[in-house]
């Protein structure tokens, strides 16, 4: 009854906000749960994250077993990404993982997305004093293609980190500096590249408050701390976790230099060549010529064109675009996976703060509705994999409205029953789509890297992107014919085997 009374007391925009949050919350939760339930999540990265989450929650920092074949020796999660994000959510593991199991991180990610949407609503309302603009900013946020592309990446720390940014901005704008400082520190340690983004976020905040000396002072402190941490991170912290066999490999900007220092010098010495790299494909493979252009067009048409009315808002996009477009990997230039999450997070804030600066209310509301329609159109258009320059997997992972989403070519319910036959502490080897369900254990390997596994849980079709179908089939047949292994369940195309000798 109290909830009903509270809902009735809300204004019309607030009721609409609740409706929007509920609808998209259901869509997002259903998408991530459905993808995992129907075995569409992948070992790289979701099994890796599930292992690290379980490992940290048990107060270990152990080598990730399913990375043995990818690296020249054992590697811990923190050696690949200097990220402490999963450690922040260890209490979530102990509160909910007994119930949500391997779905925990997926559900957490959607929950954080909803929190981010709420923070954007509060921030736009605070800055504009207009509830309708605030509500439409949330609708726009949910309609952007980046959210749906990220479903193909299952879970990623960067998505969670992006969700913290609007909360940090809200606390800062509310002058809750203690809370903002805590979030700032959490963001610094969240991932190795976030400190660079924070520098430009603080510069943007200075443009908001350039007449307020106290606020500008806090921003300058934030910039100096971010710069200092970035230097310490690459000079001290990352080298501390490296070993002779395992070196940090995620600085992949060979067009600029081998290290952040070399890249900075190149940018200073060759500004025109640097600007050219933002748009031009530097690789000899011309298949990727249109990838960067596609990314720009998608977000410009979706509302980014309004940035030209307030060019100062380009500032906090600079590190995001540079990080994407200077990278050696063309996948990172594209719409694929989580690589647009940062833009998706701050574009609604940018667009609606720009709209709010227009003097005529009718123009404000008309533009707000227009950018929502454009975002919906672009999202619908880009859902079709044929309309993308680069695409991962299938559009099923992004679109729960496709009837095929609920009808895989196997009995998912029966496979889940089969997986319960594996003891929680058993050493297991599983194929690409199965291992994410079994990764919360000390020994979980990806087939065909069987190691000392006691159970083998695999799809009989090719389910490992790092090897070809013939090799996969040969490896599987060798275990089927091995007298040391016994088939205990066979629900085509799923096979569960147990080692008996």
């Amino acid at each position: 009854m109290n909830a009903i009374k509270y809902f009735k007391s809300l204004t019309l925009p607030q009721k609409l906000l609740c409706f929007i949050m509920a609808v998209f919350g259901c869509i997002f939760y259903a998408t991530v749960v459905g993808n995992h339930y129907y075995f569409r999540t992948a070992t790289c990265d979701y099994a890796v994250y599930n292992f690290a989450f379980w490992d940290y929650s048990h107060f270990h920092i152990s080598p990730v077993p399913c990375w043995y074949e990818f690296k020249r020796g054992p590697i811990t999660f923190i050696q690949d990404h200097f990220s402490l994000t999963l450690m922040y959510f260890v209490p979530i593991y102990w509160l909910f993982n007994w119930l949500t199991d391997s779905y925990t991180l997926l559900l957490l990610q959607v929950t954080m997305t909803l929190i981010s949407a709420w923070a954007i609503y509060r921030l736009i309302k605070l800055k504009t004093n207009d509830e309708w603009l605030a509500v439409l900013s949330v609708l726009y946020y949910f309609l952007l293609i980046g959210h749906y592309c990220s479903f193909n990446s299952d879970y990623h720390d960067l998505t969670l980190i992006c969700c913290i940014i609007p909360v940090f901005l809200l606390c800062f704008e509310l002058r809750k500096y203690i809370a903002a400082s805590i979030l700032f520190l959490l963001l610094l340690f969240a991932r190795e590249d976030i400190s660079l983004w924070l520098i430009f976020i603080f510069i943007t905040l200075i443009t908001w408050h350039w007449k307020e000396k106290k606020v500008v002072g806090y921003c300058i402190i934030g910039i100096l701390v971010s710069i200092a941490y970035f230097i310490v991170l690459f000079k001290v912290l990352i080298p501390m976790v490296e070993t002779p066999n395992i070196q940090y490999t995620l600085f992949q900007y060979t067009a600029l230099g081998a290290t952040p220092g070399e890249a900075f010098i190149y940018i200073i010495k060759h500004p025109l060549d640097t600007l050219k790299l933002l748009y031009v494909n530097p690789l000899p493979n011309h298949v990727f010529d249109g990838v960067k252009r596609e990314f720009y067009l998608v977000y410009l048409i979706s509302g980014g064109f309004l940035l030209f009315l307030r060019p100062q808002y380009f500032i906090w996009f600079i590190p995001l675009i540079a990080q994407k477009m200077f990278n050696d990997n063309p996948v990172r230039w594209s719409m694929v996976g989580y690589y647009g999450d940062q833009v998706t997070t701050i574009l609604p804030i940018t667009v609606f703060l720009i709209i709010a600066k227009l003097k005529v209310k009718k123009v404000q509301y008309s533009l707000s509705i227009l950018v929502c329609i454009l975002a919906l159109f672009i999202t619908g258009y880009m859902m079709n994999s044929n309309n993308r320059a680069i695409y991962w997997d299938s559009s099923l992972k992004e679109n729960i409205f496709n009837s095929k989403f609920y009808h895989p070519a196997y009995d998912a319910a029966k496979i889940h029953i089969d997986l319960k036959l594996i003891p929680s502490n058993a050493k297991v080897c599983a194929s690409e789509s199965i291992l994410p369900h079994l990764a919360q254990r000390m020994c979980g390997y990806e087939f065909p890297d069987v190691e000392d596994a006691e159970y083998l849980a695999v799809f009989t079709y090719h389910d490992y992107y790092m090897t070809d179908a013939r090799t996969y089939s040969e490896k599987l047949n060798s275990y089927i014919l091995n007298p040391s292994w016994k088939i205990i369940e066979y629900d085509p195309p799923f096979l569960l085997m147990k080692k008996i000798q």
Side-chain angles (χ1 to χ4, degrees), residues 168 172 175 177 181 184 199 202-203 205-226:
F168 163 73
F172 190 91
R175 305 297 194 266
Y177 293 122
S181 298
F184 168 62
I199 294 169
F202 279 117
I203 294 173
L205 289 174
I206 289 175
T207 67
W208 291 5
H209 303 285
W210 63 276
K211 291 184 179 180
E212 303 172 60
K213 291 184 179 179
K214 183 178 179 181
V215 179
V216 170
Y218 286 140
C219 291
I220 292 172
I221 292 171
I223 291 170
L224 294 175
V225 172
S226 299

Side-chain angles (χ1 to χ4, degrees), residues 211-324:
K211 291 184 179 180
E212 303 172 60
K213 291 184 179 179
K214 183 178 179 181
V215 179
V216 170
Y218 286 140
C219 291
I220 292 172
I221 292 171
I223 291 170
L224 294 175
V225 172
S226 299
I227 292 172
Y229 178 72
F230 184 79
I231 295 170
V232 170
L233 179 65
F234 280 92
K235 290 291 186 180
V236 180
L237 298 180
I238 288 177
M240 281 175 57
V241 300
E242 290 180 319
T243 65
N245 290 330
I246 306 300
Q247 301 292 312
Y248 180 76
T249 60
L250 292 179
F251 189 83
Q252 300 169 346
Y253 303 92
T254 54
L256 301 179
T259 66
E262 289 182 15
F264 179 75
I265 293 170
Y266 181 90
I267 291 169
I268 298 299
K269 288 185 175 181
H270 307 280
L272 294 180
D273 290 337
T274 301
L275 289 173
K276 187 178 178 181
L277 281 173
L278 291 174
Y279 189 79
V280 174
N281 169 23
L283 303 176
N285 190 341
H286 295 292
V287 170
F288 304 116
D289 284 352
V291 176
K292 294 180 181 180
R293 180 176 66 248
E294 176 189 71
F295 182 85
Y296 291 130
L297 285 175
V298 163
Y299 280 103
L300 284 173
I301 295 172
S302 295
F305 63 88
L306 289 172
L307 269 74
F308 294 100
L309 298 178
R310 291 289 188 274
Q312 65 266 33
Y313 280 105
F314 280 109
I315 294 170
W316 60 7
F317 287 98
I318 290 173
L320 312 184
I321 299 302
Q323 186 180 4
K324 281 181 66 68

Side-chain angles (χ1 to χ4, degrees), residues 140 299-300 302-311 313-314 347 350-352 354-355 358 367-368 370-371:
Y140 176 70
Y299 280 103
L300 284 173
S302 295
F305 63 88
L306 289 172
L307 269 74
F308 294 100
L309 298 178
R310 291 289 188 274
Y313 280 105
F314 280 109
L347 188 61
T350 302
V351 165
F352 278 81
I354 292 172
I355 288 174
L358 302 174
L367 265 178
S368 299
L370 175 63
V371 295

Side-chain angles (χ1 to χ4, degrees), residues 48 76 79 185 337 355 361 371 387 394 398 402 418 436 499:
V48 172
T76 64
Q79 286 177 293
L185 292 175
I355 288 174
K361 280 292 180 184
V371 295
N387 296 330
S394 73
E398 301 178 7
N402 187 331
D418 294 342
K499 194 170 186 178

Side-chain angles (χ1 to χ4, degrees), residues 332-454:
R332 295 180 186 272
W333 313 338
S334 71
M335 306 300 305
V336 166
Y338 62 90
Y339 296 116
D341 281 354
Q342 291 162 293
V343 173
T344 301
T345 299
I346 59 173
L347 188 61
I349 299 170
T350 302
V351 165
F352 278 81
L353 289 181
I354 292 172
I355 288 174
K357 291 293 183 181
L358 302 174
K359 294 181 179 180
V360 181
K361 280 292 180 184
K362 287 185 179 179
V363 174
Q364 289 181 6
Y365 294 145
S366 298
L367 265 178
S368 299
I369 294 170
L370 175 63
V371 295
C372 289
I373 293 172
L374 289 172
L376 176 62
F377 168 77
I378 288 294
T379 296
Y381 179 79
M382 298 302 290
M383 281 283 195
N384 186 337
S385 59
N386 295 324
N387 296 330
R388 293 195 199 175
I390 296 179
Y391 203 83
W392 272 351
D393 216 319
S394 73
S395 58
L396 286 181
K397 292 188 73 170
E398 301 178 7
N399 187 6
I400 65 166
F401 299 105
N402 187 331
S403 61
K404 294 181 180 178
F405 184 92
Y406 310 95
H407 301 288
Y410 41 78
D411 188 343
K414 185 63 173 69
I415 296 173
H416 283 289
I417 293 172
D418 294 342
L419 292 178
K420 291 179 181 178
L421 298 174
I422 303 174
S424 60
N425 60 347
K427 298 176 182 179
V428 64
C429 175
S431 61
E432 174 84 10
S433 305
I434 304 294
L435 190 55
H437 293 265
L438 303 169
Q440 292 186 359
R441 64 187 67 227
M442 187 55 70
C443 297
Y445 314 109
E446 182 173 12
F447 185 82
D449 181 27
V450 177
E451 297 286 338
D452 57 347
E454 302 163 316

